[in-house]
Amino acid sequence: MSDILSSNEQDQWARLIAHAWKNPVTLAKLRQDPKAEIERLKQLPTTDPDYPGDISDLGSNGYFTLPGLPEGLEQLNKQDIEKFLAENPGIFGIMQFCCV
């Protein structure tokens, strides 16, 4: 498998990370069991307050340990964090990874 993400996967990882960084419970669950939490989030209805947005393509290429929210980004809202991550692939080594 390739270690380069498609644009769609990159957008979905950005969406998930932004969601987790603004939702401590989700972040903790992703750190404990990323596969189970990603699958749980995929199943949520779009009306659920914990719905992160479309992440339907995630999980097929592996998982990585989600770092904490970097200093300086805490004042951003979820949408701004998502945009920042989507526009900066590879930032902190989290948007490009080799399968595990």
Side-chain angles (χ1 to χ4, degrees):
M1 291 186 193
S2 171
D3 64 347
I4 303 298
L5 298 175
S6 72
S7 176
N8 190 48
E9 287 174 308
Q10 179 178 307
D11 289 346
Q12 289 185 23
W13 279 115
R15 192 170 298 126
L16 177 66
I17 292 167
H19 178 76
W21 279 346
K22 289 297 185 174
N23 296 277
V25 172
T26 298
L27 179 60
K29 289 179 180 180
L30 282 169
R31 287 179 170 165
Q32 182 179 31
D33 189 345
K35 182 176 182 179
E37 181 61 3
I38 288 171
E39 291 306 315
R40 183 189 77 81
L41 291 168
K42 285 181 185 181
Q43 302 303 315
L44 293 176
T46 58
T47 56
D48 190 296
D50 199 33
Y51 179 69
D54 178 27
I55 58 168
S56 59
D57 294 331
L58 300 187
S60 59
N61 288 330
Y63 301 94
F64 58 92
T65 301
L66 188 60
L69 180 63
E71 188 174 320
L73 296 183
E74 61 275 342
Q75 76 279 5
L76 297 179
N77 64 35
K78 181 179 165 183
Q79 291 76 24
D80 289 339
I81 293 171
E82 182 180 328
K83 181 179 178 195
F84 175 79
L85 290 170
E87 291 174 352
N88 294 283
I91 192 157
F92 309 113
I94 60 176
M95 296 308 294
Q96 294 180 6
F97 60 98
C98 184
C99 302
V100 291

